[in-house]
Amino acid sequence: MRQLQRRSLLQASAALGMMGGLGLTPSAFAQAKVKPGAKSALIVVDVQNCFIDGGTLPVKGGADVVPVINKLAGAFENIVVTQDWHTAGHASFASTYAGKKPFETTKLKYGNQVLWPDHCVQGSDDAALHKDLKLPTAQVIIRKGFHKDVDSYSAFEEADRKTPTGLAGYLKQRGINTVYVTGLATDFCVAWTAMDARKLGFQVYVIEDATRAIDLNGSLAAAWKQMSAKGVKRIQSSDIA
Ligand SMILES: [Zn+2]
């Protein structure tokens, strides 16, 4: 309902030529329907127990993306799933450092690192995909963040910004040039995945209602701004034909 109201407002304001005056950007405006084809892939980022209520690093409303993604899956020939997949004592865990608390930051060799509660430890139930996620046609699962000293928000490249996960090679060898990114969390793993995909030459859509955010100190607004600047298109699941 809220979305419908927002749409009507956007359409009305466009009709009145008031978009600039309202501070609305064209990317926020309802898009024409897009139809994913053989060269498109749906990327489902980290829809794991750890990021859903009851998990170790729950994203508010995380479970809400599951039915949206299940439905979207029917529109895609190619589906990639990712899993955050950390060692115990991982460099991204606050518990690894004396005196550090979750959501503080620290400086690692490759730059600033947000410190998280222990989450998504390899092989744990916490790291398993959410039980209601139904993606029987998914073709590959990319696990990331498995190097103990390096985090990996992005499904394409680890946080040292030089170690590839192999996903770009996989997609390119299969002739895929467009990706639609969904999952958790919008402002971290989804955003980094989307921006890296742009950098690697893919056309990129983020399906907003198929994501939920952590929104730490304004990180969600910042992520959308950065994504938009890099040419990531922001759409809703209803925009998919
Ligand atoms: Zn992680």
Side-chain angles (χ1 to χ4, degrees), residues 110-157:
Y110 53 78
N112 277 332
Q113 171 71 47
V114 179
L115 295 174
W116 305 105
D118 290 21
H119 65 280
C120 297
V121 172
Q122 296 169 0
S124 64
D125 286 343
D126 191 56
L129 294 170
H130 189 266
K131 64 174 172 42
D132 295 333
L133 192 66
K134 297 280 185 269
L135 301 173
T137 60
Q139 296 140 1
V140 70
I141 297 177
I142 292 283
R143 288 174 167 169
K144 59 189 182 61
F146 52 78
H147 288 127
K148 192 170 183 177
D149 298 325
V150 189
D151 204 2
S152 189
Y153 294 151
S154 166
F156 289 95
E157 194 176 82

Side-chain angles (χ1 to χ4, degrees), residues 5 11 23 41 57 71-72 79 85-86 97 103 112-113 121 123 142-143 158 162 194-195 212 228:
Q5 286 169 343
Q11 280 157 1
L57 179 47
K71 188 165 174 224
L72 279 169
I79 301 176
W85 200 249
H86 298 310
Y97 309 90
F103 310 109
N112 277 332
Q113 171 71 47
V121 172
I142 292 283
R143 288 174 167 169
E158 297 188 12
K162 57 186 183 203
M195 289 191 285
R212 289 293 182 279
S228 171

